[in-house]
Amino acid sequence: MGGATVAANGGIQVEMGKTRYSLDPHGQVRADYTFVSHAHMDHMHRPSRNEKVIASSLTRELAKARGYDLGETTEEVEGVELLDSGHILGSRAIRIQDEVYYTGDASGRARAFLGKCKARQARILVMETTYGSPEYVFPSTAKLVKEVNGLIASAYDRGSPVVLMGYPLGKAQLLSYFFSSWDPIFYHQSVATMNKIHMDHGVRLKAGRAFDPSSDVDILPKGPWVMVSPMASGRSRLMAHLKKQYGAVLVAFSGWAMGPGYRYTMGADYSFPLSDHCDYQELVNLVQAVSPDMVYTVHGFAAEFAKDLRKIGFSARPLAAYQSSLSDYLSA
Ligand SMILES: [Zn+2]
């Protein structure tokens, strides 16, 4: 057996013998199987009727709540193993026999209710390299949470509310979990919807009050509170209003906060590098654990990270993205 080929083509294409797998395609691509690693929008598309969709049932449910119907999905395909990738609830890496291991978006550390990416040996590793540059080594989560609690405590002392901002699926649930001891706590409507699905699946989040930005901006209480909100610029209408009307302190959470300009770009008062992706060292560790003959990198510092891997003895190159060949797309 063996002899899989991997190519970029509106996503990642894997051919094993006569079987064609399309991994996280951006659009409709001809394949026997389509794999959807997780329910973030950049990985979603509406599959055509004759492809079989491999995804966790949690990914299907989260996608549906966000308006993407993946149709029937399966986790059981012969020769295919799905592994927790630790990125968000329901996220999976895929291993096709012992030939190909694709991480999807992956985290290298356990956080709250999320585990870390489970590595398995494979001949070919296809990995995300969002933070594949040495300056992206994230601090410990416990240290970060402690620092943020200190920040919220001093805001409460001054009577100021705090808005914690992160992606509504994934980051926002971690923020809801880590900072649940503060009261009162508000969840932006889009966060509340995702929190509910997490709670239905046994994640212990505090039931806070939902905040509808179209009707509730002027009826928040005076004095301190915490709100978990999607990432928004401090210059956006909502955030500018919360600052002006309530004196809210804006705190942004992203791996990009390792960079010095991030906080200014976002117009936030503070930013912290809480990430749902592997940092540089965790990416290196993942490669060593999978021990592949060949590594293909996708996203972020793909070329830089592949170069660093070659320096430590791995065969590696970026999987050239977006080289789509029109014949592979179904006509609309
Ligand atoms: Zn993602």
Side-chain angles (χ1 to χ4, degrees):
M1 272 312 288
T5 62
V6 176
N9 189 347
I12 297 152
Q13 304 303 311
V14 174
E15 279 190 47
M16 288 271 298
K18 288 202 175 92
T19 310
R20 200 170 195 196
Y21 303 85
S22 178
L23 313 181
D24 284 332
H26 312 309
Q28 291 197 347
V29 176
R30 277 203 197 102
D32 300 294
Y33 294 100
T34 294
F35 171 62
V36 179
S37 63
H38 67 290
H40 275 152
M41 292 311 195
D42 52 338
H43 295 277
M44 292 286 114
H45 83 294
R46 290 179 176 80
S48 67
R49 232 172 281 155
N50 42 12
E51 49 189 318
K52 289 197 174 71
V53 179
I54 304 171
S56 71
S57 59
L58 276 165
T59 291
R60 184 188 55 211
E61 187 177 341
L62 288 163
K64 195 155 195 182
R66 316 186 91 205
Y68 284 87
D69 190 352
L70 297 176
E72 221 174 282
T73 59
T74 180
E75 301 182 45
E76 307 286 332
V77 173
E78 203 188 320
V80 167
E81 189 183 4
L82 297 188
L83 296 139
D84 186 7
S85 72
H87 176 59
I88 61 169
L89 190 71
S91 67
R92 297 291 181 267
I94 187 171
R95 185 172 181 256
I96 303 168
Q97 298 181 16
D98 51 6
E99 271 288 293
V100 178
Y101 178 91
Y102 166 61
T103 61
D105 283 356
S107 171
R109 63 182 71 188
R111 293 99 67 220
F113 53 89
L114 294 169
K116 68 173 193 172
C117 182
K118 287 198 169 62
R120 286 276 195 286
Q121 288 200 337
R123 191 174 70 83
I124 298 169
L125 168 63
V126 184
M127 70 188 306
E128 66 114 333
T129 50
T130 305
Y131 295 112
S133 183
E135 66 268 34
Y136 291 94
V137 172
F138 304 132
S140 89
T141 308
K143 184 170 166 252
L144 186 150
V145 167
K146 197 174 165 203
E147 234 176 281
V148 176
N149 273 324
L151 183 90
I152 299 173
S154 58
Y156 267 57
D157 282 348
R158 296 193 307 274
S160 306
V162 180
V163 180
L164 308 173
M165 303 186 292
Y167 290 114
L169 170 57
K171 192 69 53 70
Q173 285 69 49
L174 288 178
L175 297 175
S176 303
Y177 185 98
F178 286 135
F179 304 109
S180 61
S181 64
W182 295 97
D183 202 62
I185 190 159
F186 293 89
Y187 301 124
H188 186 284
Q189 194 60 57
S190 60
V191 171
T193 308
M194 292 298 120
N195 280 15
K196 165 86 171 59
I197 298 177
H198 281 65
M199 290 160 85
D200 290 347
H201 288 278
V203 176
R204 296 178 65 171
L205 300 177
K206 186 155 102 180
R209 287 187 245 168
F211 166 78
D212 180 346
S214 64
S215 57
D216 300 345
V217 283
D218 292 315
I219 55 167
L220 287 161
K222 295 263 178 284
W225 38 260
V226 164
M227 183 186 295
V228 182
S229 159
M231 189 69 85
S233 163
R235 291 172 281 274
S236 68
R237 219 171 131 177
L238 173 62
M239 292 309 160
H241 184 76
L242 294 180
K243 273 179 88 86
K244 189 163 175 251
Q245 176 102 341
Y246 299 96
V249 176
L250 306 184
V251 189
F253 293 86
S254 164
W256 299 114
M258 290 303 291
Y262 181 78
R263 178 162 73 82
Y264 302 101
T265 310
M266 290 310 296
D269 298 300
Y270 300 89
S271 65
F272 290 89
L274 179 67
S275 179
D276 299 314
H277 293 265
C278 290
D279 70 12
Y280 181 81
Q281 190 55 52
E282 290 160 352
L283 290 172
V284 174
N285 296 348
L286 186 61
V287 176
Q288 277 159 346
V290 175
S291 185
D293 294 341
M294 183 66 207
V295 182
Y296 294 105
T297 55
V298 291
H299 302 313
F301 295 96
E304 295 85 344
F305 190 71
K307 194 173 170 195
D308 285 3
L309 287 179
R310 291 196 296 272
K311 282 186 209 155
I312 56 169
F314 289 98
S315 297
R317 69 175 173 83
L319 192 65
Y322 311 113
Q323 295 175 333
S324 42
S325 122
L326 281 174
S327 65
D328 281 310
Y329 284 89
L330 300 170
S331 52

